[in-house]
Amino acid sequence: MRYCNIGEAADSLVKGNVVAFPTETVYGLGADADNDQAISKVYSIKNRPLNHPVIVHLLDGDDLLYWAENVPREAYLLIENFWPGPLTILLKKSKNVISLVSGGQDTIGLRCPSHIIAQNLLKEFVRLKPAQRGGLIAPSANKFGKVSPTSSKHVFDEFSNEISSNLMIVDGGKSMIGIESTIVDLSNVVKGSHPTLLRPGFIKASQIEEALGRKVFSPTEYSPVVSGSLRAHYSTNTPLEIIKEDIDFDDLFYSNKKIALLSCDPSPIALPSCFIWYEMSHDNDLYASKLYSTLREIDLSNFDKIFVYDLPNGSAWNAIRDRIYRAAAAFI
Ligand code: TXA
Ligand code: MG
């Protein structure tokens, strides 16, 4: 794996290679959305099951109707309000979409990233494509089920053993939002279904409801399957547990374990050196922006256990609650 600039990255993508690139949410593992073989490489590098669809990243203003059909008015409202930005919209896929992109489902996830490097990469990629149009699939640049990367170093750490694939990466500093995009399913709205929130994120359900002027619902058994909605996902290597009450530090001390504690608050007492306290934030967006980098730092530091203090109440914390509860579920 090696670093490259936007020109090299676009050229390599057009040739069917895989390039990791930054977005405002997390880093993605990019490939040409119209190239079956390139997309297969992404699935195999990630160890991702083939029935888990990938999101297509577009330039704002790209022809939606190339990718989707039966596009409801609600989609245009969300695009107007939130693109470019951390919102993925699920629509009925058009016949142009190759089935590896949609994981065999009849929907397509579309997102227009606001990160300047992602946008410039898309512009250069489209310019080099013979048809002068196109999109990049980009799942988060991590092994399937693991914590998403928010810096190019995280991507390097994840794929340093990857030798076979000419894998390259464009550096873009830290992903400021720090958790994956909000996903809203509008694929059956023209047939009378409600808009559905499949993955909470930086853009809150209340903001989407305000833009749409109608309610957004939780997924039902008929909603499209999202891998991020598996009970266990986003998992650390170090066992992680959510704690709802105060801990007995004396008990833990005698257990001889090295323990990381994540909390919104500063440490209440001076702690012995086997405990490291990570003060996150009382602001949910700041907490999110630090969450994955903190978990990755802990994973590299030989801790025996991560305790995450339960989060404040309120829907503003839904996206973070979603991620840490699924991370904890991997250890139950
Ligand atoms: O912020 C993000 O969305 C990042 C950056 C790189 O853009 N990407 C990302 O991709 O999080 P990924 O593949 O790690 O997560 C996308 C989720 C998966 O759970 C996938 O199953 C779901 O979206 N998804 C994508 N397309 C879908 C579709 N057509 N139908 C149902 N679920 C879909
Ligand atoms: Mg992911």
Side-chain angles (χ1 to χ4, degrees):
M1 189 172 194
R2 70 176 180 88
Y3 281 104
C4 68
N5 62 33
I6 289 175
E8 279 179 281
D11 185 57
S12 189
L13 286 163
V14 171
K15 289 179 176 142
N17 295 312
V18 178
V19 179
F21 64 92
T23 81
E24 68 279 19
T25 56
V26 300
Y27 275 65
L29 211 49
D32 182 346
D34 287 301
N35 183 332
D36 250 320
Q37 287 182 349
I39 301 169
S40 301
K41 288 182 199 166
V42 172
Y43 276 91
S44 103
I45 294 171
K46 270 186 70 89
N47 283 337
R48 184 180 177 110
L50 290 175
N51 60 351
H52 287 279
V54 286
I55 297 169
V56 175
H57 296 62
L58 302 173
L59 282 173
D60 206 4
D62 193 271
D63 182 9
L64 213 57
L65 299 178
Y66 175 82
W67 304 99
E69 55 186 41
N70 293 342
V71 179
R73 156 185 171 272
E74 281 79 356
Y76 294 104
L77 285 173
L78 293 188
I79 287 170
E80 201 178 296
N81 278 275
F82 301 112
W83 278 12
L87 177 74
T88 298
I89 302 173
L90 291 197
L91 296 167
K92 273 281 177 267
K93 79 180 183 83
S94 79
K95 61 181 184 329
N96 299 318
V97 176
I98 55 186
S99 76
L100 258 187
V101 170
S102 53
Q105 306 196 32
D106 62 355
T107 52
I108 172 108
L110 297 173
R111 146 161 153 74
C112 170
S114 62
H115 196 293
I116 188 70
I117 292 181
Q119 290 199 357
N120 287 341
L121 177 61
L122 275 162
K123 277 184 199 143
E124 188 55 15
F125 169 76
V126 165
R127 195 182 70 79
L128 294 177
K129 287 276 287 180
Q132 305 275 291
R133 51 145 306 280
L136 293 173
I137 64 120
S140 52
N142 52 275
K143 294 281 184 187
F144 183 68
K146 293 296 180 181
V147 174
S148 297
T150 56
S151 75
S152 60
K153 180 181 177 296
H154 295 160
V155 182
F156 249 97
D157 291 346
E158 191 88 9
F159 298 112
S160 53
N161 294 331
E162 193 61 45
I163 38 169
S164 59
S165 57
N166 300 322
L167 189 56
M168 297 204 290
I169 178 164
V170 187
D171 179 39
K174 192 172 157 339
S175 292
M176 295 313 287
I177 289 176
I179 53 169
E180 307 80 357
S181 59
T182 306
I183 303 182
V184 179
D185 177 25
L186 298 178
S187 61
N188 273 317
V189 166
V190 286
K191 291 202 180 137
S193 296
H194 298 294
T196 307
L197 184 73
L198 295 188
R199 181 171 72 182
F202 180 82
I203 294 175
K204 311 290 181 287
S206 57
Q207 293 174 272
I208 294 166
E209 289 178 338
E210 195 180 331
L212 294 181
R214 61 184 290 194
K215 225 176 134 33
V216 171
F217 287 73
S218 302
T220 67
E221 60 189 299
Y222 303 109
S223 300
V225 182
V226 170
S227 54
S229 65
L230 296 175
R231 191 182 66 89
H233 208 70
Y234 313 113
S235 75
T236 44
N237 299 323
T238 315
L240 182 150
E241 188 180 327
I242 294 160
I243 45 174
K244 298 185 188 270
E245 283 154 27
D246 276 343
I247 315 179
D248 185 338
F249 285 106
D250 286 340
D251 268 7
L252 278 179
F253 182 68
Y254 291 112
S255 72
N256 234 341
K257 298 241 157 64
K258 188 176 167 192
I259 290 169
L261 298 131
L262 264 66
S263 167
C264 298
D265 298 313
S267 170
I269 50 168
L271 293 170
S273 63
C274 54
F275 303 115
I276 307 282
W277 186 280
Y278 292 85
E279 182 185 346
M280 302 302 282
S281 178
H282 276 282
D283 177 284
N284 62 280
D285 291 335
L286 261 179
Y287 193 121
S289 81
K290 297 203 265 189
L291 177 63
Y292 289 157
S293 55
T294 304
L295 293 178
R296 280 178 171 269
E297 182 186 323
I298 293 168
D299 260 348
L300 289 174
S301 314
N302 293 316
F303 281 93
D304 295 297
K305 182 101 192 198
I306 307 169
F307 285 119
V308 180
Y309 278 95
D310 206 5
L311 299 163
N313 291 325
S315 59
W317 292 86
N318 283 355
I320 304 172
R321 196 173 295 116
D322 172 71
R323 304 313 190 273
I324 64 164
Y325 272 75
R326 290 186 211 285
F331 301 100
I332 293 170

